[in-house]
């Protein structure tokens, strides 16, 4: 018999047929209420994650380097079943087209505040997230090895604010060594900016028409020992526009090794990710990337 939590997750996933990623903390979910030892009060936990990746095969090499940082601070713990928290995350992308093979191209910031509530079906989360992307080093061409005397700086500014709700299931076990956990997140966008220079041509899709998106994913783990585990993680994130092409799609599949320490977990992984628009150009640029990377994260992130 399928549990109620899994049924809710499957309904979220089935309700959409395509996907796209638009926020920094897309490769994991935070779970502050997994800590049942904290008492009621202010600032009981600080949660972190940091990852770096080398990408291969991306369009125009724009996703050759990727680094992400994420932090969550529990602002007030009401009980073992309820807390309010704030997050701050940052993503940096770079291509290899300069003399040091590291040409910074984009910077993404996310800030959010959310209320977490543990229930029988899983942990519910309700909050608001602000998302913005800014272009970096655009006073020179994206490929500095090719001189262009007529080059003029480009611009791609994305700003979005969303109300969101999310659910993460409890940890389910299969036998003594296998575990899995599912999660889903629904965003409704209340503010959208897609500023471009040169301005996009008529008919090219603008993120100003973005209305909603859905993230659905999960993590599966085989416990090889008390210290080492083998895991697979995957997500899909449908995004809905009210003009142009109605649906866009991104997804990611990741597999790796996790090494558990007293203060956190180190993961080494390989991943394949699709972007419907990596936002590196003033026009949509679809990209598919093979990543190799490493991540350190708190135990309260899965």
């Amino acid at each position: 018999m399928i549990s109620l939590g899994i049924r809710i997750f499957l309904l979220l996933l089935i309700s959409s047929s395509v996907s796209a990623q638009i926020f920094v903390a897309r490769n994991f979910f935070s779970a502050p209420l997994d800590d049942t030892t904290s008492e009621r009060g202010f600032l009981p936990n600080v949660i972190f994650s940091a990852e770096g990746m080398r990408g291969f095969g991306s369009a125009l090499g724009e996703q050759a380097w990727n680094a992400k940082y994420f932090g969550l601070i529990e602002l007030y713990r009401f009980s073992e079943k309820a807390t309010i928290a704030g997050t701050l995350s940052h993503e940096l992308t770079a291509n290899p087209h300069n003399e040091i093979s590291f040409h910074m191209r984009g910077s993404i910031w996310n800030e959010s505040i959310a209320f977490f509530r543990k229930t029988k079906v899983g942990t519910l989360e309700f909050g608001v997230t602000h998302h913005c992307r800014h272009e970096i080093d655009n006073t020179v061409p994206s490929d500095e090895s090719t001189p262009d005397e007529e080059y003029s700086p480009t611009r791609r500014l994305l700003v979005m604010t969303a109300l969101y709700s999310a659910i993460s299931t409890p940890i389910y076990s299969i036998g003594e060594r296998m575990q899995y956990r599912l999660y889903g997140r629904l965003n409704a966008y209340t503010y959208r900016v897609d500023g471009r220079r040169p301005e996009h041509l008529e008919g090219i899709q603008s993120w100003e028409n973005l209305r909603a998106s859905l993230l659905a994913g999960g993590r599966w783990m085989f416990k090889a020992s008390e210290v080492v585990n083998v895991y697979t993680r995957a997500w899909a994130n449908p995004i809905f526009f009210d003009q142009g092409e109605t649906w866009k799609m991104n997804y990611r599949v990741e597999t790796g090794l996790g090494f558990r320490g007293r203060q956190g977990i180190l993961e080494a992984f390989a991943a394949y990710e699709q972007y419907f628009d990596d936002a590196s150009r003033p026009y949509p640029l679809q990209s598919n990337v093979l990543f190799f990377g490493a991540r350190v994260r708190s135990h309260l992130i899965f």
Side-chain angles (χ1 to χ4, degrees), residues 10 33 39 41 57 63 74 77 86 88 90 100 110 140 146 163 169 197 202 216 219 232 252 260 291 298:
L10 291 175
L33 293 177
E39 299 180 354
Q63 302 299 319
E74 273 194 82
R77 174 71 70 103
L88 175 64
H90 177 244
I100 62 172
N110 290 173
V140 294
T146 304
L163 302 174
T169 69
R197 186 173 63 237
E202 183 178 354
R219 185 178 188 275
T232 297
R252 179 182 171 103
R260 187 179 185 88
F291 284 117
S298 299

Side-chain angles (χ1 to χ4, degrees), residues 125-184:
E125 182 181 347
F126 304 95
V128 58
T129 293
H130 180 72
H131 170 108
C132 59
R133 182 197 183 276
H134 303 268
E135 201 162 330
I136 300 177
D137 287 358
N138 63 342
T139 58
V140 294
S142 61
D143 187 346
E144 291 188 86
S145 64
T146 304
D148 184 356
E149 295 180 357
E150 298 182 356
Y151 173 78
S152 60
T154 62
R155 178 176 183 264
R156 185 75 185 274
L157 173 66
L158 296 176
V159 181
M160 289 163 287
T161 301
L163 302 174
Y164 77 91
S165 59
I167 181 173
S168 58
T169 69
I171 298 173
Y172 296 108
S173 297
I174 304 175
E176 296 182 355
R177 293 181 177 268
M178 289 289 296
Q179 294 181 339
Y180 69 95
R181 193 171 192 175
L182 307 175
Y183 56 85

Side-chain angles (χ1 to χ4, degrees), residues 1-14 120-122 167-170 172 180-183:
M1 184 176 180
I2 301 177
S3 72
L4 179 59
I6 297 178
R7 289 202 296 269
I8 292 174
F9 171 81
L10 291 175
L11 285 173
L12 284 171
L13 184 60
I14 293 170
K120 291 182 180 179
V121 300
I167 181 173
S168 58
T169 69
Y172 296 108
Y180 69 95
R181 193 171 192 175
L182 307 175
Y183 56 85

